[in-house]
Amino acid sequence: MMKTWQKKFILILTFALIFILPLIGSLVKWGGLPVGYGDFPAQKVEDDPGFSVLYFSLAVIVALFITMFLVFPKLFGFKKIPESSTEPKLKTDFPVWFWWSLPVLGISWFLMWARIKVHISLEYYTFVPLWWSFILILDGIVYKRTNGFSLVSKKPHVMQLLAVVSCFSWFAFEFLNFFVIENWYYPNNQVFSNFGNVFWFSLSYTTVLPAIVEWYLLLKTFKVFRNRYRNGPKLSVSRTFLLIYYGIGLILAFGMGYYPYLLFWVLWVALVPMLSAAMALTGYWTPFTPIKKGDWSQTVLFALATLCNGFFWEFWNFGSEWFHDSLPTNPNYWKYSVPYLDKIHIFSEMPVLGYFGYLFFGINCWIIWLIAAYVFDFDADFEVKG
């Protein structure tokens, strides 16, 4: 049996390989670092390959399969779980932080889109208060629907840790973004100084994981979601499968750097086989562990939670430009530069197929959260029982 330090070493090594392998692939491909490497926040450095009917068609097939799985789980072997016809009565009022956050959200939203200037553009500083107020509003709704059980009320230390891990984890994605030649970039990189960019974006990145987890907890309060994916096919994999799965992750991570356009989507996928396989091989719980007993609910709901939050990421980002005559001055405003699939936009910079990437991104976030908890020995359980 492995000792704890050996397990942690494997997790740390695997996490390091996620950054090292794309770098090696890029060095082999270009004979040096990729174009645009090191610019923070990322900038567009060259035009991507144009639209590809073949690539788009293959992506549509994958998207349709995922949609069928989510909408019609019975077709995939899921069985309905009998539920009580009555929901518990909600006797608890909204908490005070819910009410305080409403005006903060409203004002931040207005200033983000309205572009009002005093001595400086107030639009610069709207992202962080807008998203943290939104997180607290979500928490307040969860508090109301669970009769007082939410992260803020019962596990504030977990909320704090989520913010810290969120900050560092999104920096990881920003780093990997260089190797796919900037799938997203920030046109307004001159708003702050270099130090100002690092400081402001560090604060901004604290919002990612807390928002996703709040959406997850909120979805669980609805009967339509709670048991929908709990009684499905039981999947148990062998150690050999996990080793192969791990190896596939290693190949994809290297390939992301060597084929930055063809494998641009690996940025959202490679972490899953590498890190989840490493956790399973060392005996740690993973988001896929409950699937051994047929319970897919946590994994699926976390992915859906990220998709729900993705709608608001894209909605507020798109509005930052829509209500301006020219490019907005919001430093957090981003644009996409996605090869092959940049077609069909619905009110957002994100092409419609890109929304399916949020499902995988959510699982990545959860896995990184668990890795941090296992390495640094803190409580990773954000479930709030009530």
Side-chain angles (χ1 to χ4, degrees):
M1 181 172 292
M2 287 188 189
K3 296 181 180 179
T4 301
W5 72 267
Q6 293 173 318
K7 294 181 179 181
K8 290 184 178 182
F9 176 77
I10 292 174
L11 296 184
I12 294 171
L13 176 62
T14 301
F15 196 73
L17 287 173
I18 290 170
F19 305 102
I20 295 171
L21 290 174
L23 177 60
I24 295 174
S26 188
L27 291 172
V28 174
K29 173 72 174 181
W30 308 110
L33 295 171
V35 59
Y37 179 87
D39 289 339
F40 183 80
Q43 299 299 294
K44 184 174 182 179
V45 291
E46 65 180 36
D47 291 330
D48 290 320
F51 177 73
S52 167
V53 175
L54 175 61
Y55 212 108
F56 185 83
S57 300
L58 292 173
V60 167
I61 292 172
V62 174
L64 288 175
F65 177 82
I66 294 173
T67 302
M68 291 291 291
F69 175 84
L70 295 174
V71 178
F72 305 106
K74 288 184 179 179
L75 298 179
F76 296 84
F78 286 83
K79 299 178 181 179
K80 188 174 181 180
I81 295 179
E83 291 193 58
S84 60
S85 58
T86 59
E87 289 281 273
K89 294 183 179 180
L90 305 179
K91 302 176 182 179
T92 307
D93 294 329
F94 287 108
V96 65
W97 56 87
F98 173 86
W99 299 111
W100 288 352
S101 298
L102 287 175
V104 176
L105 176 70
I107 294 170
S108 300
W109 185 352
F110 174 75
L111 293 176
M112 177 181 282
W113 286 8
R115 194 175 184 179
I116 295 177
K117 292 185 178 180
V118 187
H119 296 294
I120 58 174
S121 176
L122 297 177
E123 186 182 3
Y124 294 173
Y125 308 101
T126 54
F127 187 91
V128 175
L130 181 143
W131 272 98
W132 269 110
S133 60
F134 184 60
I135 290 165
L136 293 176
I137 288 170
L138 290 174
D139 188 88
I141 299 173
V142 172
Y143 182 97
K144 169 73 172 176
R145 293 187 56 81
T146 58
N147 287 319
F149 289 82
S150 73
L151 270 183
V152 172
S153 65
K154 299 298 181 183
K155 291 189 173 182
H157 65 287
V158 173
M159 177 68 87
Q160 295 164 0
L161 288 169
L162 282 167
V164 173
V165 175
S166 177
C167 175
F168 287 100
S169 63
W170 186 252
F171 268 111
F173 284 105
E174 291 287 355
F175 176 77
L176 294 175
N177 187 36
F178 290 130
F179 299 105
V180 291
I181 319 299
E182 290 77 33
N183 279 180
W184 67 91
Y185 61 96
Y186 306 85
N188 301 315
N189 68 322
Q190 301 300 321
V191 171
F192 301 124
S193 65
N194 290 336
F195 174 79
N197 278 327
V198 173
F199 176 77
W200 179 251
F201 278 87
S202 295
L203 293 178
S204 303
Y205 298 162
T206 64
T207 64
V208 178
L209 266 175
I212 295 173
V213 170
E214 289 290 1
W215 271 108
Y216 167 77
L217 295 174
L218 179 58
L219 291 180
K220 287 191 67 177
T221 67
F222 291 93
K223 184 166 61 174
V224 67
F225 292 114
R226 195 160 47 238
N227 292 330
R228 185 176 181 84
Y229 307 101
R230 278 184 58 191
N231 191 9
K234 299 177 181 180
L235 297 181
S236 183
V237 298
S238 66
R239 185 177 180 83
T240 300
F241 175 89
L242 289 174
L243 289 170
I244 295 173
Y245 193 48
Y246 186 87
I248 291 173
L250 296 176
I251 295 170
L252 288 176
F254 174 84
M256 177 173 61
Y258 194 82
Y259 299 107
Y261 294 123
L262 185 66
L263 298 179
F264 74 92
W265 48 271
V266 171
L267 190 155
W268 310 112
V269 174
L271 277 74
V272 176
M274 288 179 67
L275 291 176
S276 63
M279 287 193 289
L281 287 167
T282 51
Y284 286 111
W285 188 92
T286 80
F288 306 105
T289 300
I291 295 177
K292 294 179 181 179
K293 298 181 179 180
D295 185 358
W296 297 63
S297 60
Q298 289 176 294
T299 305
V300 174
L301 289 190
F302 206 87
L304 288 175
T306 313
L307 179 61
C308 291
N309 203 61
F311 169 85
F312 286 91
W313 273 321
E314 302 300 335
F315 172 67
W316 278 316
N317 185 63
F318 180 70
S320 290
E321 182 177 33
W322 180 260
F323 292 98
H324 292 72
D325 296 330
S326 58
L327 192 69
T329 58
N330 174 11
N332 295 91
Y333 173 73
W334 67 87
K335 294 179 74 69
Y336 291 102
S337 183
V338 181
Y340 308 125
L341 305 180
D342 196 8
K343 287 287 184 180
I344 310 178
H345 293 252
I346 302 176
F347 80 83
S348 71
E349 291 289 340
M350 172 76 82
V352 66
L353 285 176
Y355 282 93
F356 288 88
Y358 276 120
L359 300 169
F360 298 97
F361 171 59
I363 304 303
N364 284 326
C365 289
W366 193 1
I367 288 173
I368 292 175
W369 163 251
L370 290 170
I371 292 288
Y374 297 149
V375 171
F376 295 103
D377 294 318
F378 63 78
D379 179 15
D381 185 11
F382 46 70
E383 299 278 359
V384 182
K385 305 298 189 296

